[in-house]
Amino acid sequence: MTCGFRPRRPRQDTHGGDRTVTQEPAERPSRLPRLRLDQLLDELQAHIEGARGIRDRVHSLLEAVLSVGRELDLDQVLQRVVEAAVALVDARYGALGVIGPEGHTLGQFFTVGLSEEEAEAIGPLPSGKGILGELIRDPRPLRLSDLTTHPASSGFPPNHPPMRGFVGVPLRVRDEVFGNLYLTDKRDGSDFDAEDEAVLSTLAVAAGVAIDNARLYQEARRRQAWLGAGAEITRGLLSGLPRVEVLELIAERAREITGAALADVSTPAGDGSELTVEFAAGRDAPSRLGLTVPLEGTLSGTACLTGSPAATERIADDPRCTAGPPRFHGLGPAVAVPLGARDGVVRGVLLLARERGSAVFAGEETDALLGFAGQAALALELAEHRRDAEQIALLEDRDRIARDLHDLAIQRLFATGMTLQSAARLVDNPAARDRVTRAVSDLDETIKIIRSTIFGLRQDEKAGDGLRARAARAVEAARETLGYAPRLSLEGLLDTDVPEHVADHVLAVLGEALSNAARHAGASAVQVSLQAAGGHVTLTVTDDGCGIPEGVRRSGLRNLEHRAAGVGGSLELSTPPDGGTRLRWSAPLDTD
C-alpha cells in the first residue's frame, strides 16, 4: 500500500479507448474595438496632417508678408505680391492689375507663369474687360470653378493658354481700391476653395500696407528729386548758362525722375501755330531734334492750346496725336505739360513718354510736374531777358563801331582818295597815273563796303532788316537745334546789292540747309559763307556730317533747286575732301 496521490487515469472516450486530455480553447475577443481604434488613429493622423498643413501655410503666409513688406520699390512690391500669391495657393498662373486713374481700366499688369515668348505671342496686355473687369466693377472676392461659364467672360485672345479655375481678390490701399489679384488653375487640378480665398484676402491686406509704404517712399524720393532738379536749374541760371543748356537740364532731369523713355522740349514757332522741338533726350532723340509740328493733332499742341497738362495711356494710339511723322512706336503712357510763366504766356511744352506697359502719369505725379514746369518756365523767361539784355548790349556796341567807322575810317579813306586823285594830275608817267587812278577806285569801293557794313550794323531787328543782319540771326537761331554755333562769313555789299526778293530766297535756303544739318547730318561743325561778288550772291553751307545717303527723300533739295531756277541761279551739292556735305546756292544780282 502506498501513500500519496494516485495518478489520475485518463478519461476514456465513449468508444472505450483512452482520450487525450486537452485544454478547452478560450472565447475570441470581438474585432469591433480594434476597428474603432484604427479609425480613431486615422482621424488623429488626418488632424495632425491638417494641423501641420495649416502650420506650413501660415508660415508661408507670414514669409510672403515679410517678403512683400521688405521692398520699397513699388514695381518690385507688386511683382512680389503676385509671386507670393501663386506660391500660397499653388496656382499655375497669377496676375496683378493696377486700376488706371479713370477707375475702369487697368493701367499696369504684372504676371507670373507666362514666359516672355508667350506674353509676346498673346499681344497687348489686358485693359480690364471680361472677368478681370468684373472685379473692377464689383471689388469683392470672386471664386469660380470654370471662368469660361461666367456671363462676363469674353474668351481668350489668340495664343493664350487655356484656363479654368479662377479666384480674384481686390487690393485696397486705405479706402482706395488700388488693383486686383487674379489666380487661375491649381497645379493639382482641383478647384480653389474657401481657404485659398481667405489666404489671398489676408495677403491682399498685407500687400495694401506694403503698397502704401512703397508709394509714400516713392513720393518722398520723387519730391526730393524735383527739389534737387529745381535747385540745379536755378544754379545754372545764376551761373549764366545759355538757353539751350537750360532746356537740356529741364528735359534730362524730368526724364530721369519720371523714368520716361523720351523727353523733349518744344517751343512756339512761326506765327504761333506750330511747335519746334528745341531739345530731345532718350529714344530717337536725333530724329526728333528740330522737328516742327502743328498745334492741332499733337499732344504737346493740346497742352499749349489749353494751358493745362494733357495725358494719355497710349500715345501711339491716341486720336489727338495724328500730325507729323510716326514717332511714338513702342511708347505708352505720356504727358505734355505747358511751360507757362506768370503772365500766362506758354513759352514751351515739356513732353514725357514711358515704355508701353509702364505706369500712367497719375495726379500726384502730374502735380509735381506742374510745379517743376513753372520753375522751368521762369528759367526760360530769365534766359529770354538775359538774351534781350545781351542783344541790347550788342546793338549798342554795333552802333559805337558804326560811328567810329563813319567818323574816323571813312573820313580818312575819303581824304586819302582826294589826295591821290589830286596827285594823279601831277604824275607824268601814264602807267603810274593809271595805278594811282586804280588806287582811288579801290578806295571808293572800300568806302562803299564800309558804308554797307555800317548800314547792316545799324539795322533794327525787324522784318525789314538787311540781308546781313537777317542771315546772322538765322545762324544764331540754329545754335539751339545744332547744339553749337555755326561759323559765319559775310562778304560784299549784301544789304545794298542783293535785291529783296533774292534775299528772301537766300534766307529760305539758309534755313533749310541748317535744318537739314541739325536733323539728318549728325555734324559736329557747320560753316556758312554768304558772299556778294562778281555779279552773283552765293551761299555755301558746309558740314562734317554723314553726307546724303542713297535713296533718301530729296523733296527739300528739290525746293531749293526750284528757288534757284526761279531767279536764274543754280544749286550744287558736293562732298568735301574730309567728308560731309557742301551745299552751294547761287543767284545773279541782276534778275530783272
Side-chain angles (χ1 to χ4, degrees):
M1 180 176 180
T2 60
C3 60
F5 293 98
R6 290 185 299 175
R8 187 176 182 179
R9 292 184 297 179
R11 182 181 301 174
Q12 295 181 349
D13 57 14
T14 56
H15 300 286
D18 294 338
R19 187 169 63 182
T20 303
V21 178
T22 60
Q23 185 177 2
E24 293 293 332
E27 184 179 357
R28 290 185 178 181
S30 174
R31 295 182 60 85
L32 292 177
R34 180 181 296 276
L35 292 175
R36 180 62 178 165
L37 179 61
D38 290 342
Q39 290 176 356
L40 291 174
L41 290 174
D42 290 341
E43 290 178 7
L44 180 60
Q45 182 68 25
H47 284 300
I48 293 174
E49 293 295 333
R52 184 179 292 117
I54 293 174
R55 182 201 64 184
D56 293 342
R57 200 161 199 182
V58 169
H59 285 173
S60 298
L61 178 59
L62 290 175
E63 289 177 1
V65 171
L66 291 175
S67 174
V68 170
R70 291 191 194 102
E71 293 290 342
L72 288 175
D73 181 79
L74 183 57
D75 287 350
Q76 290 292 334
V77 169
L78 299 178
Q79 189 64 39
R80 284 288 182 89
V81 170
V82 187
E83 294 171 355
V86 168
L88 284 173
V89 299
D90 196 27
R92 191 178 302 275
Y93 304 105
L96 190 155
V98 179
I99 298 177
E102 73 291 336
H104 56 81
T105 59
L106 298 178
Q108 280 182 284
F109 211 72
F110 298 84
T111 62
V112 170
L114 292 175
S115 65
E116 293 184 3
E117 293 76 12
E118 290 174 323
E120 185 70 23
I122 293 172
L125 295 173
S127 60
K129 299 179 181 179
I131 294 294
L132 304 187
E134 187 69 17
L135 265 76
I136 299 176
R137 293 184 289 271
D138 185 11
R140 291 183 298 176
L142 177 64
R143 183 158 42 92
L144 302 170
S145 296
D146 189 353
L147 62 88
T148 60
T149 62
H150 193 276
S153 177
S154 58
F156 298 111
N159 302 315
H160 196 287
M163 296 179 180
R164 189 182 66 84
F166 175 86
V167 60
V169 294
L171 290 173
R172 296 181 183 272
V173 178
R174 300 180 185 177
D175 296 330
E176 169 197 358
V177 179
F178 177 82
N180 295 304
L181 192 59
Y182 313 102
L183 286 303
T184 60
D185 291 354
K186 297 198 73 166
R187 292 186 180 276
D188 60 5
S190 62
D191 293 336
F192 293 103
D193 54 23
E195 187 177 338
D196 294 327
E197 182 181 316
V199 169
L200 291 176
S201 297
T202 304
L203 177 64
V205 174
V209 176
I211 291 169
D212 193 28
N213 289 338
R215 291 170 71 181
L216 291 174
Y217 176 77
Q218 193 176 52
E219 182 63 22
R221 292 288 302 272
R222 186 182 296 117
R223 289 183 182 275
Q224 182 181 7
W226 285 126
L227 290 174
E232 186 177 4
I233 292 175
T234 302
R235 288 195 301 270
L237 285 172
L238 294 177
S239 63
L241 280 181
R243 186 171 183 272
V244 64
E245 294 188 23
V246 174
L247 294 177
E248 180 180 355
L249 270 179
I250 293 171
E252 287 286 6
R253 295 300 172 266
R255 186 173 72 93
E256 292 171 1
I257 295 172
T258 60
L262 165 70
D264 65 38
V265 179
S266 53
T267 55
D271 58 357
S273 63
E274 295 180 327
L275 290 173
T276 298
V277 178
E278 291 200 35
F279 183 82
R283 175 185 290 190
D284 299 330
S287 63
R288 296 182 58 80
L289 189 63
L291 181 66
T292 299
V293 294
L295 295 180
E296 299 289 344
T298 60
L299 195 66
S300 296
T302 302
C304 185
L305 290 172
T306 61
S308 59
T312 179
E313 294 184 11
R314 297 180 182 178
I315 189 171
D317 305 324
D318 196 286
R320 292 171 294 180
C321 304
T322 57
R327 56 195 183 279
F328 299 116
H329 178 70
L331 296 176
V335 63
V337 183
L339 305 179
R342 292 168 296 177
D343 54 7
V345 178
V346 176
R347 286 174 165 77
V349 179
L350 172 63
L351 174 68
L352 299 168
R354 290 175 173 147
E355 298 285 355
R356 182 172 296 175
S358 302
V360 298
F361 289 89
E364 295 178 355
E365 196 169 16
T366 304
D367 292 341
L369 271 172
L370 272 175
F372 179 73
Q375 200 169 11
L378 181 61
L380 291 179
E381 185 179 3
L382 291 176
E384 290 176 2
H385 289 171
R386 186 173 62 239
R387 184 177 60 183
D388 291 342
E390 293 173 352
Q391 187 66 24
I392 291 173
L394 176 63
L395 292 176
E396 290 177 349
D397 193 44
R398 286 180 176 180
D399 189 60
R400 179 188 60 78
I401 294 172
R403 288 196 307 270
D404 292 343
L405 287 175
H406 182 273
D407 297 340
L408 300 176
I410 289 182
Q411 298 302 327
R412 291 192 177 188
L413 289 174
F414 186 76
T416 302
M418 293 292 293
T419 301
L420 290 176
Q421 192 172 9
S422 300
R425 293 193 296 269
L426 303 177
V427 177
D428 295 330
N429 190 319
R433 190 185 303 111
D434 290 341
R435 295 183 64 180
V436 172
T437 302
R438 285 198 302 271
V440 172
S441 299
D442 291 340
L443 287 174
D444 289 339
E445 187 67 25
T446 303
I447 291 173
K448 288 181 182 180
I449 294 174
I450 294 176
R451 282 177 173 169
S452 175
T453 303
I454 294 173
F455 181 77
L457 290 173
R458 288 180 170 173
Q459 288 297 308
D460 297 328
E461 293 201 354
K462 298 179 182 178
D465 285 352
L467 177 58
R468 183 183 293 269
R470 294 164 68 189
R473 285 201 304 275
V475 171
E476 179 64 24
R479 174 199 294 266
E480 297 180 358
T481 55
L482 288 168
Y484 52 86
R487 294 181 57 185
L488 175 63
S489 173
L490 301 173
E491 298 181 23
L493 304 178
L494 298 172
D495 294 330
T496 57
D497 286 1
V498 181
E500 184 175 351
H501 68 284
V502 176
D504 292 339
H505 286 298
V506 170
L507 292 170
V509 173
L510 176 59
E512 179 69 21
L514 292 174
S515 177
N516 288 339
R519 288 186 294 175
H520 308 302
S524 60
V526 176
Q527 297 182 4
V528 177
S529 172
L530 183 57
Q531 181 181 29
H536 285 77
V537 57
T538 303
L539 171 67
T540 305
V541 180
T542 306
D543 65 64
D544 62 352
C546 61
I548 301 177
E550 295 293 334
V552 71
R553 294 178 58 187
R554 302 172 64 91
S555 55
L557 297 177
R558 283 197 296 270
N559 291 336
L560 303 187
E561 292 175 348
H562 292 329
R563 288 183 179 275
V567 292
S570 62
L571 172 68
E572 297 177 7
L573 290 174
S574 60
T575 301
D578 297 333
T581 303
R582 177 180 290 124
L583 181 149
R584 186 177 181 276
W585 190 93
S586 178
L589 296 176
D590 185 7
T591 59
D592 296 337

